[in-house]
Amino acid sequence: MPSTSVRADLLLDAERPTSAALLVSVAARPGVEVHAERLTLTGPGGPLPVQEVRLPDGTRLHEFEVPAGSTAVEYEADVRVDGAAASADLTAAERWEFARPSRFCPSDRFSHLAAREFARFPRAEQPRAVAAWVRMHTDYVSGSSGPSDSALETLVGGQGVCRDFAHLVVALLRALDVPARVAAVYAPGLSPMDFHAVAEAAPDGRWQVVDATGLAPRQSLVRIASGRDTADTAFLTTAGPVTLTRLSVLAVTDGALPSDDGSGLVRLA
């Protein structure tokens, strides 16, 4: 099985004690083995306790209290992904959850555009057609969007970052009645290195990766979390005045990166 080493380092500054929830762990699901996993939080007075909360889909949240001052967060793990076990079936609940409009993917506003551009494609080919269309009509521009921008702003502005590409893909696919969701991932090969967001679609009842950015091979991606949109997959959520002053992410494989021309079907473990 291919091995991937992942690491995330964050520095948080808080004006007063508050709380935070952090997504820094790979999903615990079939097809993923996690070894040498370590999560440490160090505040002004030393190590801080952390509580893990596991959501029904396997996503792991880590909750902790942030004291006033600076808190360093370090996470690292060695991950092995068995591609043969990475074919997740669409459940009955997911069929409805991920076909509905959501905060950043208002798919009900995309019905006419989706029908005009993609209705002629067979259902199984619609994810690839949507990804190609989004790549053609959207420029990847760092810092071009804000945290409250939805797929509509991305469509009108014609530019965005990975989260915006994923939101636009998901909105268009849902408008075609194809269940779609957003996945936060570690992405070996991504440059510059950072957390990455991609779409997943299930036109045939099984999830497959759709990445309109084409910035990293889909075969190397390691899931962190998945949800209706990035409101469900943010790597950091805080309650109170907390500033993220440093973030570094590293994801590397133990061999050559796979080649990905975007045409094949890839499933995310």
Side-chain angles (χ1 to χ4, degrees), residues 115-182:
R116 184 185 73 218
E117 297 291 338
F118 309 112
R120 68 184 183 276
F121 291 96
R123 184 177 176 86
E125 296 179 13
Q126 286 176 338
R128 186 169 61 180
V130 167
W133 189 93
V134 170
R135 186 179 300 118
M136 180 181 300
H137 290 83
T138 314
D139 294 325
Y140 190 97
V141 181
S142 296
S144 60
S145 62
S148 62
D149 286 355
S150 74
L152 280 172
E153 282 77 23
T154 303
L155 177 67
V156 173
Q159 59 184 11
V161 295
C162 62
R163 68 181 291 276
D164 307 302
F165 278 64
H167 285 157
L168 186 50
V169 167
V170 167
L172 287 167
L173 287 172
R174 289 180 186 167
L176 295 165
D177 198 34
V178 174
R181 64 190 181 189
V182 171

Side-chain angles (χ1 to χ4, degrees), residues 12-19 66-69 238-244:
L12 310 175
D13 284 317
E15 298 176 11
R16 58 179 181 269
T18 185
S19 60
V66 185
T238 62
V242 177
T243 302
L244 177 65

Side-chain angles (χ1 to χ4, degrees), residues 3 19 54 57 64 96 111 143 149 156 203 231 237 239 245 258:
S3 177
S19 60
R54 188 164 298 190
D57 69 347
F64 51 95
W96 293 105
S111 299
D149 286 355
V156 173
T237 301
T245 58

